[in-house]
Amino acid sequence: MAQMNSFILELGRDFLFVGEEYRLQVGNSGFHIDLLFYHRGLQCLVAFELKADKLKPGHLGQLNFYLEALDRDVRKRNENPSIGILLCKDKDTEVVEYALSRNLSPALVAEYKTQLPDKELLQQKLHVLFEASQESNEL
């Protein structure tokens, strides 16, 4: 987590760190977002969920739940809707296509794409971080 946090902050000055394992309270239940940032240029909260396994459709449901909670309970009136970034160790391309087919608005993807980190760079860094994590666990 600390390495990923540092990496995201290196991506640009517009990312401001809000919290690690950021707690959300919904009803009587508590939930935690892996990493939460604020993006100054986009004027919105950016939630990062990190998964050490293959993407599962449920991961997207979890992230969407967090985004809804952020928008209802944390976001300020002058801020844009929160966005989420799900980083998984691996993926099945067909599962990704099915899982995303009804979830994302193309207009939002196009709007945010120019200011968010490059997808390939995030994928490379995620693999490096997981490899380092596995090596440290083996020691």
Side-chain angles (χ1 to χ4, degrees):
M1 285 281 212
Q3 291 175 344
M4 194 65 190
N5 179 24
S6 297
F7 167 68
I8 293 166
L9 290 173
E10 289 172 13
L11 293 175
R13 294 181 146 163
D14 281 348
F15 280 101
L16 302 172
F17 180 70
V18 176
E20 179 180 328
E21 292 295 317
Y22 185 85
R23 183 171 168 74
L24 294 170
Q25 184 75 30
V26 177
N28 294 323
S29 300
F31 302 90
H32 295 89
I33 297 172
D34 289 336
L35 294 170
L36 184 62
F37 290 83
Y38 184 80
H39 193 280
R40 290 177 50 215
L42 298 173
Q43 295 185 343
C44 69
L45 294 164
V46 181
F48 282 80
E49 275 299 298
L50 311 174
K51 302 298 179 188
D53 55 357
K54 251 185 185 179
L55 178 128
K56 297 176 185 167
H59 294 153
L60 293 169
Q62 177 186 23
L63 183 57
N64 285 330
F65 175 81
Y66 292 163
L67 295 175
E68 185 65 26
L70 285 171
D71 285 347
R72 287 188 189 197
D73 303 331
V74 180
R75 178 174 69 118
K76 306 284 186 208
R77 285 186 216 186
N78 63 318
E79 295 173 345
N80 291 314
S82 303
I83 59 173
I85 297 176
L86 176 61
L87 298 174
C88 297
K89 183 176 181 180
D90 199 5
K91 70 179 184 311
D92 178 324
T93 303
E94 196 167 359
V95 171
V96 172
E97 288 177 21
Y98 275 58
L100 292 177
S101 67
R102 294 184 187 226
N103 255 355
L104 295 176
S105 165
L108 290 177
V109 172
E111 180 180 340
Y112 292 135
K113 188 175 181 181
T114 58
Q115 294 204 24
L116 288 177
D118 178 65
K119 182 174 96 172
E120 286 79 24
L121 181 62
L122 283 173
Q123 288 173 337
Q124 291 171 357
K125 186 63 175 179
L126 186 62
H127 284 290
V128 169
L129 291 174
F130 278 120
E131 289 173 8
S133 173
Q134 288 176 346
E135 288 174 6
S136 67
N137 287 338
E138 293 173 0
L139 297 176

